[in-house]
Amino acid sequence: MSLTHGVPLMTGWATKRGGVRTTWKRRYFILKDNATLSYFKDSTDTDASKCKGIVQLLGSGVIIQGPPDVEPIPWPRTSAENARLAIVTPSRTFYIYTDSGETCQQWLSALREASGKHPALRSGQRAAMSTSRKQGEVDAREEQRMFKAQLQKLVKQPGNDRCAECSKPNPTWASWNLGVFVCISCTGAHRSLGPHGSKLKSLKLDDWNAQQIDNLARKGNLRVNQHFEAQLPATFQRPKSLDELVLFVQDKYQAKKWVKKGQRLSIAESLDDAMDEQEADNRVGASMQAEASAAHADEDPMANHDWF
């Protein structure tokens, strides 16, 4: 769900535990009436591009816990027992502690209200909130349908209709920050650049936003390759094996081996920076595995590849 949707219900500072490194970081939280909780590094700059993460509070698998039900993990000594809360989702548990027990209760009440899980909500209130959330979900689905249609138009344009790295036809992925369309094999190679070096999304399986699509539209395979392959020898043979592809994309984007001196091409940043590196890479791997599982081995050798 986009950060541009929803009305803020509650804002404030709290401390959360990282999903990968389990370090505790002070973050500024914004809870909205579309049942999303987003967090930022700076309270004075809450633009979507600065968001460090979003927690979706909708769904039967989401549980909001407060004291004394929160799991006894290694909490910092500075966290009072009555100031601890947890948001349990099907994919991850978010551990948060506030500055006081009173603030914790305020957040718990607001979180449960926004997600429709507050025990004191009357049936009429629940129905109204449910209707609002359903409309928001419909709007979000419609927005994604529009984005997917735009992507299909872009990927059919000359140059974009073949993988930017190996020239295989009909790419199904894109590195939206680099601005190129790639096949699933070269997506695997792009992962070697790291989640911040190449921000990968499936054209069909992942959600997109306007900024990401705009960057692809402004760049595209032809323009990007004119920059990163400006001095690539005419006799160069495109790599075929995954190992060769990994070396090629690292030479191309990290070492900038074939870029003309003095040439520059901006690399976009956006909401995907909200994810921890491991989270971002796991998301890519899951989408790749889903696409590979649906492919036929006789048509695509990557169908049997384990992308994890």
Side-chain angles (χ1 to χ4, degrees):
M1 195 170 289
S2 171
L3 279 179
T4 58
H5 294 145
V7 177
L9 296 175
M10 185 170 177
T11 63
W13 287 95
T15 306
K16 66 171 285 293
R17 192 171 81 154
V20 178
R21 298 182 181 88
T22 66
T23 54
W24 294 87
K25 293 183 179 180
R26 187 84 166 158
R27 293 290 182 251
Y28 185 73
F29 288 84
I30 298 178
L31 174 65
K32 291 190 175 182
D33 64 356
N34 60 358
T36 60
L37 178 68
S38 52
Y39 47 95
F40 301 80
K41 192 174 181 179
D42 189 347
S43 62
T44 62
D45 191 358
T46 56
D47 182 76
S49 65
K50 302 296 184 181
C51 180
K52 306 301 289 183
I54 302 177
V55 186
Q56 301 285 354
L57 301 173
L58 292 174
S60 57
V62 177
I63 303 171
I64 299 169
Q65 298 176 333
D69 301 322
V70 180
E71 182 183 354
I73 61 168
W75 290 88
R77 292 181 180 178
T78 53
S79 66
E81 287 189 19
N82 67 345
R84 301 169 183 175
L85 60 93
I87 303 172
V88 183
T89 72
S91 60
R92 175 183 167 187
T93 299
F94 294 83
Y95 297 102
I96 302 168
Y97 68 88
T98 62
D99 294 338
S100 68
E102 182 182 355
T103 304
C104 182
Q105 290 302 318
Q106 291 171 352
W107 272 109
L108 282 171
S109 179
L111 287 165
R112 287 168 175 164
E113 222 174 289
S115 62
K117 295 178 174 64
H118 198 297
L121 282 177
R122 297 174 182 172
S123 59
Q125 289 176 301
R126 286 182 184 274
M129 290 177 66
S130 176
T131 300
S132 176
R133 285 198 301 273
K134 285 178 181 177
Q135 183 58 50
E137 291 172 4
V138 169
D139 292 344
R141 286 196 298 269
E142 184 58 38
E143 182 180 57
Q144 285 304 312
R145 278 194 288 270
M146 178 185 71
F147 288 155
K148 298 293 172 63
Q150 291 175 359
L151 284 168
Q152 288 308 307
K153 287 182 180 179
L154 287 174
V155 78
K156 290 175 182 176
Q157 291 179 356
N160 293 343
D161 57 351
R162 287 185 173 273
C163 174
E165 317 305 352
C166 70
S167 296
K168 182 179 178 180
N170 305 317
T172 54
W173 284 75
S175 171
W176 64 260
N177 67 315
L178 293 174
V180 293
F181 293 88
V182 292
C183 67
I184 189 172
S185 300
C186 291
T187 298
H190 268 245
R191 288 175 80 185
S192 71
L193 302 176
H196 294 304
S198 182
K199 299 177 185 291
L200 299 155
K201 284 197 169 187
S202 167
L203 302 185
K204 294 182 179 179
L205 301 178
D206 291 323
D207 286 344
W208 289 76
N209 67 41
Q211 182 182 350
Q212 294 161 358
I213 294 173
D214 179 64
N215 194 58
L216 282 167
R218 287 187 294 104
K219 293 181 181 176
N221 291 6
L222 292 179
R223 185 184 174 200
V224 172
N225 281 350
Q226 283 171 0
H227 175 76
F228 284 102
E229 298 181 6
Q231 295 183 321
L232 188 72
T235 56
F236 182 83
Q237 296 293 313
R238 292 277 167 179
K240 294 183 179 179
S241 73
L242 186 56
D243 288 341
E244 290 174 336
L245 286 166
V246 168
L247 293 175
F248 174 68
V249 299
Q250 288 176 350
D251 281 344
K252 180 176 176 178
Y253 297 107
Q254 287 181 335
K256 298 179 174 61
K257 190 173 180 178
W258 303 290
V259 174
K260 282 184 180 178
K261 258 188 177 180
Q263 278 193 346
R264 291 177 177 271
L265 187 70
S266 63
I267 303 301
E269 297 294 336
S270 181
L271 188 56
D272 271 22
D273 290 332
M275 294 187 184
D276 292 320
E277 290 192 9
Q278 192 59 53
E279 282 183 85
D281 192 56
N282 287 345
R283 177 190 58 74
V284 172
S287 293
M288 292 179 73
Q289 201 66 49
E291 181 177 326
S293 299
H296 297 289
D298 56 343
E299 296 175 4
D300 190 339
M302 291 294 107
N304 294 324
H305 190 82
D306 186 357
W307 292 108
F308 281 103

